[in-house]
Amino acid sequence: HLAQSFNQMVENVQTAHGELEQLNKTLERRVDERTKALRLEINERKQAENKLRESEERFRQLSEASFEGIVIHYQGTILEANQSFATMFGYTVQEVLGKNMLDFASPESKSVVIENMRVGNEQPYEAIGLRKDGTTFPGELMGKAMNYKGYLARVVAIRDITERKRAEKLIVEGFLNEIKMKLTHYV
């Protein structure tokens, strides 16, 4: 009877050992599958991060190559600016970051800028820019809504149109002088 009980116990241990080996193999297979899935996920995330960095670098290079001042702002607070913008207004890029867009508009143009920001205007409009030294210049602005680091921000391009305004004035003055000359000729 003792031998039979011992044999039954050995058989139970062997069965349990076999089941344990089977569970261990299943567990090892699941760990291997999960490890492969995690490696794949990590690689995909790294690739996405690299693509994002490359995209941001391309945007930065394009922005820096532009003659126009370019800023990205969220509710008026400047998050990014290119060197052209900073130079146009007499600041460094670091000085510009965190400032409000209205800090760069002359008093007579603040309401125009506020209204265009409020309605999300995506058409060009004119406003008077205010430099750090207090001087002003005519500018043409155009903004577009964009997703930027999870924010619904706006990218704005600003062009100094001083020369264009000067040329327009000369054309108008020339036209007026021509009309005056014709009128005096007929009088």
Side-chain angles (χ1 to χ4, degrees):
H1 186 66
L2 185 60
Q4 190 180 16
S5 291
F6 181 75
N7 285 341
Q8 184 62 43
M9 188 174 73
V10 167
E11 193 176 301
N12 287 344
V13 168
Q14 286 175 339
T15 301
H17 181 69
E19 289 174 357
L20 224 94
E21 282 183 358
Q22 189 61 34
L23 287 172
N24 192 36
K25 287 179 184 177
T26 302
L27 185 60
E28 286 177 354
R29 190 182 85 258
R30 286 183 178 173
V31 167
D32 285 344
E33 289 171 357
R34 185 63 184 141
T35 301
K36 288 177 185 174
L38 286 173
R39 284 186 182 135
L40 181 62
E41 190 177 315
I42 289 168
N43 285 338
E44 288 173 351
R45 184 170 290 174
K46 284 181 180 178
Q47 288 175 351
E49 288 172 355
N50 285 338
K51 286 181 181 178
L52 178 61
R53 268 195 295 280
E54 289 170 3
S55 175
E56 287 175 345
E57 180 61 19
R58 273 194 310 275
F59 177 78
R60 188 192 64 73
Q61 288 176 352
L62 285 171
S63 170
E64 290 305 321
S66 175
F67 294 110
E68 294 179 331
I70 299 174
V71 295
I72 298 173
H73 72 87
Y74 175 69
Q75 296 181 350
T77 301
I78 297 175
L79 306 172
E80 299 283 345
N82 70 353
Q83 185 61 52
S84 295
F85 179 88
T87 302
M88 185 181 301
F89 287 92
Y91 291 88
T92 67
V93 172
Q94 287 303 329
E95 288 176 311
V96 168
L97 301 179
K99 285 189 171 293
N100 191 290
M101 286 294 292
L102 296 177
D103 294 339
F104 302 94
S106 69
E108 66 268 20
S109 287
K110 286 186 191 247
S111 61
V112 171
V113 174
I114 289 169
E115 181 61 15
N116 279 281
M117 286 173 29
R118 187 186 68 75
V119 299
N121 179 24
E122 295 194 353
Q123 300 300 314
Y125 67 96
E126 292 183 10
I128 305 298
L130 178 64
R131 292 188 181 99
K132 185 178 182 179
D133 66 6
T135 60
T136 60
F137 65 96
E140 181 180 62
L141 295 81
M142 190 165 125
K144 296 262 185 207
M146 69 177 288
N147 186 328
Y148 180 76
K149 296 184 178 181
Y151 296 101
L152 181 57
R154 287 185 62 76
V155 60
V156 179
I158 302 167
R159 177 180 300 148
D160 182 339
I161 58 171
T162 302
E163 292 305 314
R164 183 172 83 192
K165 289 292 187 183
R166 194 172 291 142
E168 289 171 359
K169 184 178 176 185
L170 289 174
I171 290 170
V172 168
E173 287 174 356
F175 181 71
L176 289 176
N177 285 337
E178 188 176 315
I179 289 174
K180 284 179 187 177
M181 285 178 34
K182 287 181 180 180
L183 286 175
T184 56
H185 178 67
Y186 291 112
V187 175

